[in-house]
Amino acid sequence: MQGHIWHILTGEEVCKGLHVDPEKGLSDKEINRRLLEFGHNTLAVKKGVNPVFLFLGQFKDFMVMVLMIATLISGLLGEIADAVTILAIILINSVLGFIQEYKAERSMEALRTLAAPEATVLRNGDITKIPASELVPGDIVMVEAGDRIPADLRWLKAINIRVEESALTGESQPVAKTDQALEDEYLPIADRKNMGYMGTVVVNGRGIGVVVATGMATEMGIIAGMIQEVKDEETPLQRRLAQLGKYLVALCLAVCLVVVITGLLQGESFTKMFFTGVSLAVAAIPEGLPAIVTVALAIGVQRMVKRNAIIRKLPAVETLGCATVICSDKTGTLTQNEMTVRRIYCDGQIITVSGQGYDPKGDYHGADPYNDKGVLRELLKCAALCNNAVLTKRGLRVPGLFRGRSQDKVWSIDGDPTEGALLVAAAKAGLWREGLERKEQRIAEIPFTSERKMMSVIYKGKQGYKAYIKGAPDVILPLCTQELTAQGVVDLTAERRKQILFINDEMANHALRVLALAVKNVSPGEQNGQVEKNLIFVGLMGMIDPPRPSAIKAIKVCQAAGIKPVMITGDHKLTAQAIARELGILKGRNQLVVTGPELDRMTDEDLEKCVMDISVFARVAPRDKLRIVRALKKKGQIVAMTGDGVNDAPAVKEADIGVAMGQTGTDVTKEASAMIIADDNFATIVAAVEEGRGIYDNIRKFIRYLLSCNLGEVLTMFLGTLVGLPLPLLPIQILWVNLVTDGLPAMALGVDGTEPDIMKRSPREPNENVFARGLGRKILIRGSMIGVGTLLVFVLGLWYGVGLLAARTMAFTTLVFSQLFHVFDCKSEQRGIFEVGLFSNPFLVLAVMVSTLMQLSVIYLPFMQNIFKTTALVGWQWLLILAVAGGPTIIIGFLRLLRKNLRRKKHLALARR
């Protein structure tokens, strides 16, 4: 009784294998026995982490422990404000981390809500309703339109039944079901037409099925198990910060120890050197790093909200910024999820139709339907009348976060998407069913069924009774004996039949779903069986779910940014291939399209070898998506996975960054994701990538600034004590520098704007060291310049005989202003101060002005002079300080501008040649 063989057995064989009489159902005794054997029909949830332990676990992080030590030291030094600030940073980070992890634990709870609360079953010969959780394999279940299927079923009777399975399989259309046995044992889930799956919804008809799997054994349960198996991993940012924190703490403590020992050897008191060493350690260790990172990420989140992206986990922005592959579902994400008629064939000519989605605005290329009184007009009239869909205009629904904004009304379809496409095509030509029905009234309908594959309606008008018929071309065409042409009704010859079938195949090869339309004049008493015979063929209409225009542009931007877009869909290969070519995902010859069955024949090793050559995966099952994501990750890729259905949830959670759709996404996928796209627009992901890259750039800017400054402070003290000078700075002055420079300027730098060329760069290596691309060299050079410059001013002050107090004040001020000038250098790694502009970040300018006023107050206010042991400075001293502090920034900026101009002239000279 293995799950993958139920669809190849007859209903009788399935019931026999499950030991159940389909006319009576199971007995109470057998039900109790099976409940003990198989358990309740519920999704098991892995025992969650206690919220208290989850919160306490936030304090195990290495940098958090460093912050706690810094808090203790600051308290011992009497710096209560500093201690309170650091403690606030610890608590904020811990609360944010706790909220993110607690939300992640709720994925399984959302999945459980998809289970049907009740089920109608046949037990002991009686029909009764029971809680769906009490279903067991072998139960006979009855469902009808509107019901959620309560367990995995094998249909015993399928009466016009169609099921919405997009959440599970990715199939964009409701699937017509059958109760007949199928032949292929290894059919993908989406093609098992005689099966019903837990959590999917019956949209039409009614049926009786026998339960073949319950709880965790269902396809939904298998997905639940996959979600539980996925382990949470640290983001690249978290790994790099942990590495950086450990390295810096060890280095700073070692240097501080050397400074203390050197001072003691030179005769300084133990108490003085101890507090100097502690102060230097507090200043040197970058305790502001987690705070700046949190602020930078939070600002990124605010920017993303304005661009229709909701970040559920702060590190997600940074992780998406280094994504190298984006795996996306086709339906509704890359496409509009709105079937649209693209081609029409009638009277021997092909007509193309333009326009987007359900908006009844568009053009017919090759015909004028407004002035056409012949075949095209009749075809569109047939499409409008042989139709039960309704075209409406309503407000766009978006998540609650965006309520209150004005929303334009959009056209939408109530009913079958295929019928909606036909209705819109007719409306584009001015043919609205409501208008047509003022002249003709529907008096009968022969509904569509999966067996008949056609639908007919009969209308009564001034000219009498007329039938309008639509259906699959291979069904409709054999029923036609005549064809409508511009010259009138003519016989349908064998040659014409071949031509029509050829056109049908051509449309199908372009991934169009093709319907044939026909008409017939009927008599009032004509029987249903006779209505659909001797039809008049009118034409073919081919439709497709078209790509989003914004997605086409977004994919170009992704490719320019070195990101590989991959389409993963449950749709057929031809459909996926055609859409991928239109989107620009498929371009070169070396790009492969692989189907689910082909994927099943591959081992994990085979998939890993070729996964980077595959751009489209079609007809895939949920476990296939998970395999794909894992194979890409094994190749060292940072994988972003977009999804909306339940089938996407395991892969979304497994991916480095999971992106859920806000409007069409299920709660399960949203809970498993790190980011939600409110407008379901693939282009919004590009904005997320840009923000992610910009935030990582800002974090690098901050690291460059902070570590250069800290290095300058350490070198000032280290070199001063090494050469036997008096202490260049007092402990309280070191702490003040730490407050003035590591506070507002650093915060403002962390929220700097993005570089203009940020989306023209290749993604950085996932395991890139935080000091990569010359950052470490820049920190060492500029830190040395700050340290040596500060010490130089201190020595010159002593040499000029201004006294130790004034010389120390000069060194103190030089150190502060060197860092305030350097913050403008850090705005860009490629461009100088004259290229980026002083005022491109007004927050930074304001922060530097505030810090400058704070430093001036320490120098010139008497009560501050007493606290910080400073004295007022005179003109020549300020000239010396500003020359040493600002000189490097101005010189570097000028040299970069000169180099840029020389490069531009060289390019112009080459262009003229």
Side-chain angles (χ1 to χ4, degrees), residues 827-828 830-838 840 892-901 903-904:
K827 282 171 59 65
S828 174
Q830 288 82 33
R831 299 179 299 160
I833 189 172
F834 299 115
E835 296 170 82
V836 297
L838 278 174
S840 58
I892 291 170
F894 176 75
L895 290 175
R896 283 187 170 179
L897 185 63
L898 182 63
R899 185 172 58 188
K900 178 184 176 182
N901 289 333
R903 193 182 297 122
R904 185 184 298 165

PDB file of all heavy atoms in Angstrom, residues 827-828 830-838 840 892-901 903-904:
ATOM      1  N   LYS A 827      32.511  57.721   2.938  1.00  0.00           N
ATOM      2  CA  LYS A 827      31.229  57.688   2.224  1.00  0.00           C
ATOM      3  C   LYS A 827      31.295  56.830   0.966  1.00  0.00           C
ATOM      4  O   LYS A 827      30.268  56.343   0.487  1.00  0.00           O
ATOM      5  CB  LYS A 827      30.796  59.112   1.857  1.00  0.00           C
ATOM      6  CG  LYS A 827      30.191  59.878   3.037  1.00  0.00           C
ATOM      7  CD  LYS A 827      29.963  61.335   2.711  1.00  0.00           C
ATOM      8  CE  LYS A 827      29.042  61.545   1.550  1.00  0.00           C
ATOM      9  NZ  LYS A 827      27.671  61.058   1.844  1.00  0.00           N
ATOM     10  N   SER A 828      32.483  56.653   0.409  1.00  0.00           N
ATOM     11  CA  SER A 828      32.618  55.837  -0.796  1.00  0.00           C
ATOM     12  C   SER A 828      33.986  55.182  -0.819  1.00  0.00           C
ATOM     13  O   SER A 828      34.972  55.805  -0.410  1.00  0.00           O
ATOM     14  CB  SER A 828      32.422  56.689  -2.054  1.00  0.00           C
ATOM     15  OG  SER A 828      32.685  55.928  -3.215  1.00  0.00           O
ATOM     16  N   GLN A 830      35.192  54.042  -3.701  1.00  0.00           N
ATOM     17  CA  GLN A 830      35.757  54.293  -5.035  1.00  0.00           C
ATOM     18  C   GLN A 830      35.952  55.781  -5.337  1.00  0.00           C
ATOM     19  O   GLN A 830      36.794  56.150  -6.142  1.00  0.00           O
ATOM     20  CB  GLN A 830      34.832  53.711  -6.125  1.00  0.00           C
ATOM     21  CG  GLN A 830      34.833  52.201  -6.223  1.00  0.00           C
ATOM     22  CD  GLN A 830      33.935  51.548  -5.208  1.00  0.00           C
ATOM     23  OE1 GLN A 830      32.905  52.098  -4.852  1.00  0.00           O
ATOM     24  NE2 GLN A 830      34.313  50.377  -4.729  1.00  0.00           N
ATOM     25  N   ARG A 831      35.160  56.640  -4.680  1.00  0.00           N
ATOM     26  CA  ARG A 831      35.183  58.059  -5.029  1.00  0.00           C
ATOM     27  C   ARG A 831      35.608  58.906  -3.835  1.00  0.00           C
ATOM     28  O   ARG A 831      35.388  58.535  -2.685  1.00  0.00           O
ATOM     29  CB  ARG A 831      33.797  58.514  -5.498  1.00  0.00           C
ATOM     30  CG  ARG A 831      33.323  57.761  -6.743  1.00  0.00           C
ATOM     31  CD  ARG A 831      31.941  58.203  -7.175  1.00  0.00           C
ATOM     32  NE  ARG A 831      30.936  57.948  -6.157  1.00  0.00           N
ATOM     33  CZ  ARG A 831      29.756  58.550  -6.101  1.00  0.00           C
ATOM     34  NH1 ARG A 831      29.463  59.487  -6.981  1.00  0.00           N
ATOM     35  NH2 ARG A 831      28.883  58.253  -5.164  1.00  0.00           N
ATOM     36  N   GLY A 832      36.220  60.056  -4.131  1.00  0.00           N
ATOM     37  CA  GLY A 832      36.715  60.953  -3.094  1.00  0.00           C
ATOM     38  C   GLY A 832      35.663  61.941  -2.643  1.00  0.00           C
ATOM     39  O   GLY A 832      34.544  62.002  -3.172  1.00  0.00           O
ATOM     40  N   ILE A 833      36.042  62.798  -1.684  1.00  0.00           N
ATOM     41  CA  ILE A 833      35.109  63.745  -1.075  1.00  0.00           C
ATOM     42  C   ILE A 833      34.551  64.744  -2.085  1.00  0.00           C
ATOM     43  O   ILE A 833      33.398  65.179  -1.976  1.00  0.00           O
ATOM     44  CB  ILE A 833      35.805  64.479   0.104  1.00  0.00           C
ATOM     45  CG1 ILE A 833      34.786  65.304   0.877  1.00  0.00           C
ATOM     46  CG2 ILE A 833      36.968  65.317  -0.373  1.00  0.00           C
ATOM     47  CD1 ILE A 833      35.354  65.890   2.158  1.00  0.00           C
ATOM     48  N   PHE A 834      35.342  65.110  -3.109  1.00  0.00           N
ATOM     49  CA  PHE A 834      34.882  66.090  -4.090  1.00  0.00           C
ATOM     50  C   PHE A 834      33.934  65.470  -5.121  1.00  0.00           C
ATOM     51  O   PHE A 834      33.239  66.188  -5.833  1.00  0.00           O
ATOM     52  CB  PHE A 834      36.074  66.732  -4.800  1.00  0.00           C
ATOM     53  CG  PHE A 834      36.999  67.468  -3.867  1.00  0.00           C
ATOM     54  CD1 PHE A 834      38.297  67.026  -3.672  1.00  0.00           C
ATOM     55  CD2 PHE A 834      36.561  68.579  -3.169  1.00  0.00           C
ATOM     56  CE1 PHE A 834      39.153  67.681  -2.801  1.00  0.00           C
ATOM     57  CE2 PHE A 834      37.410  69.253  -2.304  1.00  0.00           C
ATOM     58  CZ  PHE A 834      38.715  68.799  -2.113  1.00  0.00           C
ATOM     59  N   GLU A 835      33.922  64.132  -5.221  1.00  0.00           N
ATOM     60  CA  GLU A 835      33.026  63.438  -6.161  1.00  0.00           C
ATOM     61  C   GLU A 835      31.683  63.098  -5.516  1.00  0.00           C
ATOM     62  O   GLU A 835      30.634  63.261  -6.134  1.00  0.00           O
ATOM     63  CB  GLU A 835      33.689  62.159  -6.666  1.00  0.00           C
ATOM     64  CG  GLU A 835      34.955  62.400  -7.488  1.00  0.00           C
ATOM     65  CD  GLU A 835      35.707  61.108  -7.753  1.00  0.00           C
ATOM     66  OE1 GLU A 835      35.322  60.404  -8.693  1.00  0.00           O
ATOM     67  OE2 GLU A 835      36.654  60.803  -6.998  1.00  0.00           O
ATOM     68  N   VAL A 836      31.709  62.646  -4.272  1.00  0.00           N
ATOM     69  CA  VAL A 836      30.449  62.266  -3.621  1.00  0.00           C
ATOM     70  C   VAL A 836      29.689  63.476  -3.115  1.00  0.00           C
ATOM     71  O   VAL A 836      28.468  63.437  -2.978  1.00  0.00           O
ATOM     72  CB  VAL A 836      30.696  61.282  -2.452  1.00  0.00           C
ATOM     73  CG1 VAL A 836      31.288  59.993  -2.958  1.00  0.00           C
ATOM     74  CG2 VAL A 836      31.581  61.896  -1.385  1.00  0.00           C
ATOM     75  N   GLY A 837      30.402  64.558  -2.824  1.00  0.00           N
ATOM     76  CA  GLY A 837      29.745  65.761  -2.341  1.00  0.00           C
ATOM     77  C   GLY A 837      29.581  65.756  -0.832  1.00  0.00           C
ATOM     78  O   GLY A 837      29.213  64.747  -0.236  1.00  0.00           O
ATOM     79  N   LEU A 838      29.846  66.892  -0.212  1.00  0.00           N
ATOM     80  CA  LEU A 838      29.763  67.009   1.242  1.00  0.00           C
ATOM     81  C   LEU A 838      28.338  66.855   1.751  1.00  0.00           C
ATOM     82  O   LEU A 838      28.101  66.335   2.829  1.00  0.00           O
ATOM     83  CB  LEU A 838      30.306  68.373   1.687  1.00  0.00           C
ATOM     84  CG  LEU A 838      31.825  68.507   1.822  1.00  0.00           C
ATOM     85  CD1 LEU A 838      32.184  69.947   2.122  1.00  0.00           C
ATOM     86  CD2 LEU A 838      32.349  67.586   2.907  1.00  0.00           C
ATOM     87  N   SER A 840      25.634  65.265   0.331  1.00  0.00           N
ATOM     88  CA  SER A 840      24.791  64.187  -0.201  1.00  0.00           C
ATOM     89  C   SER A 840      24.102  63.413   0.916  1.00  0.00           C
ATOM     90  O   SER A 840      23.095  62.747   0.695  1.00  0.00           O
ATOM     91  CB  SER A 840      25.631  63.225  -1.063  1.00  0.00           C
ATOM     92  OG  SER A 840      26.702  62.688  -0.302  1.00  0.00           O
ATOM     93  N   ILE A 892      43.646  63.278  -0.569  1.00  0.00           N
ATOM     94  CA  ILE A 892      43.131  62.047  -1.194  1.00  0.00           C
ATOM     95  C   ILE A 892      41.970  62.370  -2.132  1.00  0.00           C
ATOM     96  O   ILE A 892      41.881  61.839  -3.246  1.00  0.00           O
ATOM     97  CB  ILE A 892      42.702  61.023  -0.117  1.00  0.00           C
ATOM     98  CG1 ILE A 892      43.935  60.500   0.623  1.00  0.00           C
ATOM     99  CG2 ILE A 892      41.914  59.873  -0.729  1.00  0.00           C
ATOM    100  CD1 ILE A 892      43.598  59.678   1.852  1.00  0.00           C
ATOM    101  N   GLY A 893      41.089  63.273  -1.710  1.00  0.00           N
ATOM    102  CA  GLY A 893      39.959  63.657  -2.548  1.00  0.00           C
ATOM    103  C   GLY A 893      40.410  64.318  -3.832  1.00  0.00           C
ATOM    104  O   GLY A 893      39.875  64.033  -4.910  1.00  0.00           O
ATOM    105  N   PHE A 894      41.413  65.185  -3.739  1.00  0.00           N
ATOM    106  CA  PHE A 894      41.934  65.870  -4.925  1.00  0.00           C
ATOM    107  C   PHE A 894      42.592  64.876  -5.882  1.00  0.00           C
ATOM    108  O   PHE A 894      42.395  64.938  -7.103  1.00  0.00           O
ATOM    109  CB  PHE A 894      42.928  66.942  -4.497  1.00  0.00           C
ATOM    110  CG  PHE A 894      43.584  67.644  -5.652  1.00  0.00           C
ATOM    111  CD1 PHE A 894      42.888  68.590  -6.397  1.00  0.00           C
ATOM    112  CD2 PHE A 894      44.897  67.341  -6.018  1.00  0.00           C
ATOM    113  CE1 PHE A 894      43.494  69.231  -7.471  1.00  0.00           C
ATOM    114  CE2 PHE A 894      45.501  67.968  -7.088  1.00  0.00           C
ATOM    115  CZ  PHE A 894      44.803  68.928  -7.815  1.00  0.00           C
ATOM    116  N   LEU A 895      43.388  63.946  -5.356  1.00  0.00           N
ATOM    117  CA  LEU A 895      44.063  62.959  -6.201  1.00  0.00           C
ATOM    118  C   LEU A 895      43.053  62.046  -6.924  1.00  0.00           C
ATOM    119  O   LEU A 895      43.240  61.717  -8.094  1.00  0.00           O
ATOM    120  CB  LEU A 895      45.022  62.112  -5.362  1.00  0.00           C
ATOM    121  CG  LEU A 895      46.270  62.827  -4.827  1.00  0.00           C
ATOM    122  CD1 LEU A 895      47.069  61.916  -3.907  1.00  0.00           C
ATOM    123  CD2 LEU A 895      47.149  63.303  -5.998  1.00  0.00           C
ATOM    124  N   ARG A 896      41.985  61.654  -6.231  1.00  0.00           N
ATOM    125  CA  ARG A 896      40.965  60.814  -6.868  1.00  0.00           C
ATOM    126  C   ARG A 896      40.241  61.571  -7.974  1.00  0.00           C
ATOM    127  O   ARG A 896      39.939  61.021  -9.030  1.00  0.00           O
ATOM    128  CB  ARG A 896      39.952  60.324  -5.826  1.00  0.00           C
ATOM    129  CG  ARG A 896      40.482  59.185  -4.965  1.00  0.00           C
ATOM    130  CD  ARG A 896      39.397  58.623  -4.066  1.00  0.00           C
ATOM    131  NE  ARG A 896      39.832  57.390  -3.424  1.00  0.00           N
ATOM    132  CZ  ARG A 896      39.101  56.691  -2.573  1.00  0.00           C
ATOM    133  NH1 ARG A 896      37.885  57.113  -2.255  1.00  0.00           N
ATOM    134  NH2 ARG A 896      39.559  55.587  -2.039  1.00  0.00           N
ATOM    135  N   LEU A 897      39.964  62.850  -7.725  1.00  0.00           N
ATOM    136  CA  LEU A 897      39.305  63.670  -8.749  1.00  0.00           C
ATOM    137  C   LEU A 897      40.211  63.851  -9.957  1.00  0.00           C
ATOM    138  O   LEU A 897      39.761  63.765 -11.099  1.00  0.00           O
ATOM    139  CB  LEU A 897      38.943  65.031  -8.144  1.00  0.00           C
ATOM    140  CG  LEU A 897      38.134  65.979  -9.048  1.00  0.00           C
ATOM    141  CD1 LEU A 897      36.775  65.378  -9.372  1.00  0.00           C
ATOM    142  CD2 LEU A 897      37.965  67.340  -8.378  1.00  0.00           C
ATOM    143  N   LEU A 898      41.488  64.061  -9.714  1.00  0.00           N
ATOM    144  CA  LEU A 898      42.459  64.213 -10.800  1.00  0.00           C
ATOM    145  C   LEU A 898      42.549  62.925 -11.620  1.00  0.00           C
ATOM    146  O   LEU A 898      42.548  62.956 -12.860  1.00  0.00           O
ATOM    147  CB  LEU A 898      43.829  64.575 -10.216  1.00  0.00           C
ATOM    148  CG  LEU A 898      44.962  64.811 -11.222  1.00  0.00           C
ATOM    149  CD1 LEU A 898      44.646  66.003 -12.115  1.00  0.00           C
ATOM    150  CD2 LEU A 898      46.289  65.021 -10.501  1.00  0.00           C
ATOM    151  N   ARG A 899      42.597  61.780 -10.915  1.00  0.00           N
ATOM    152  CA  ARG A 899      42.678  60.487 -11.608  1.00  0.00           C
ATOM    153  C   ARG A 899      41.428  60.243 -12.452  1.00  0.00           C
ATOM    154  O   ARG A 899      41.507  59.722 -13.575  1.00  0.00           O
ATOM    155  CB  ARG A 899      42.852  59.374 -10.587  1.00  0.00           C
ATOM    156  CG  ARG A 899      43.070  57.990 -11.188  1.00  0.00           C
ATOM    157  CD  ARG A 899      43.429  56.985 -10.116  1.00  0.00           C
ATOM    158  NE  ARG A 899      42.403  56.911  -9.089  1.00  0.00           N
ATOM    159  CZ  ARG A 899      42.541  56.229  -7.955  1.00  0.00           C
ATOM    160  NH1 ARG A 899      43.676  55.595  -7.687  1.00  0.00           N
ATOM    161  NH2 ARG A 899      41.565  56.201  -7.078  1.00  0.00           N
ATOM    162  N   LYS A 900      40.259  60.636 -11.928  1.00  0.00           N
ATOM    163  CA  LYS A 900      39.009  60.453 -12.668  1.00  0.00           C
ATOM    164  C   LYS A 900      39.012  61.293 -13.948  1.00  0.00           C
ATOM    165  O   LYS A 900      38.612  60.824 -15.020  1.00  0.00           O
ATOM    166  CB  LYS A 900      37.833  60.860 -11.772  1.00  0.00           C
ATOM    167  CG  LYS A 900      36.472  60.748 -12.466  1.00  0.00           C
ATOM    168  CD  LYS A 900      35.356  61.261 -11.566  1.00  0.00           C
ATOM    169  CE  LYS A 900      34.023  61.241 -12.306  1.00  0.00           C
ATOM    170  NZ  LYS A 900      32.927  61.787 -11.463  1.00  0.00           N
ATOM    171  N   ASN A 901      39.485  62.548 -13.843  1.00  0.00           N
ATOM    172  CA  ASN A 901      39.521  63.420 -15.020  1.00  0.00           C
ATOM    173  C   ASN A 901      40.494  62.913 -16.067  1.00  0.00           C
ATOM    174  O   ASN A 901      40.228  62.977 -17.267  1.00  0.00           O
ATOM    175  CB  ASN A 901      39.892  64.848 -14.605  1.00  0.00           C
ATOM    176  CG  ASN A 901      38.758  65.532 -13.838  1.00  0.00           C
ATOM    177  OD1 ASN A 901      37.595  65.193 -14.023  1.00  0.00           O
ATOM    178  ND2 ASN A 901      39.104  66.476 -12.973  1.00  0.00           N
ATOM    179  N   ARG A 903      41.334  59.778 -16.511  1.00  0.00           N
ATOM    180  CA  ARG A 903      40.734  58.580 -17.101  1.00  0.00           C
ATOM    181  C   ARG A 903      39.668  58.966 -18.129  1.00  0.00           C
ATOM    182  O   ARG A 903      39.559  58.356 -19.184  1.00  0.00           O
ATOM    183  CB  ARG A 903      40.124  57.731 -15.995  1.00  0.00           C
ATOM    184  CG  ARG A 903      39.756  56.316 -16.451  1.00  0.00           C
ATOM    185  CD  ARG A 903      39.101  55.512 -15.344  1.00  0.00           C
ATOM    186  NE  ARG A 903      40.004  55.304 -14.214  1.00  0.00           N
ATOM    187  CZ  ARG A 903      39.756  55.683 -12.978  1.00  0.00           C
ATOM    188  NH1 ARG A 903      38.624  56.305 -12.687  1.00  0.00           N
ATOM    189  NH2 ARG A 903      40.615  55.454 -12.013  1.00  0.00           N
ATOM    190  N   ARG A 904      38.902  60.019 -17.826  1.00  0.00           N
ATOM    191  CA  ARG A 904      37.856  60.467 -18.743  1.00  0.00           C
ATOM    192  C   ARG A 904      38.477  61.002 -20.038  1.00  0.00           C
ATOM    193  O   ARG A 904      37.979  60.720 -21.134  1.00  0.00           O
ATOM    194  CB  ARG A 904      37.024  61.549 -18.067  1.00  0.00           C
ATOM    195  CG  ARG A 904      35.819  62.022 -18.895  1.00  0.00           C
ATOM    196  CD  ARG A 904      35.099  63.163 -18.202  1.00  0.00           C
ATOM    197  NE  ARG A 904      34.557  62.746 -16.919  1.00  0.00           N
ATOM    198  CZ  ARG A 904      34.147  63.605 -15.991  1.00  0.00           C
ATOM    199  NH1 ARG A 904      34.259  64.905 -16.189  1.00  0.00           N
ATOM    200  NH2 ARG A 904      33.637  63.153 -14.855  1.00  0.00           N
TER     201      ARG A 904
END
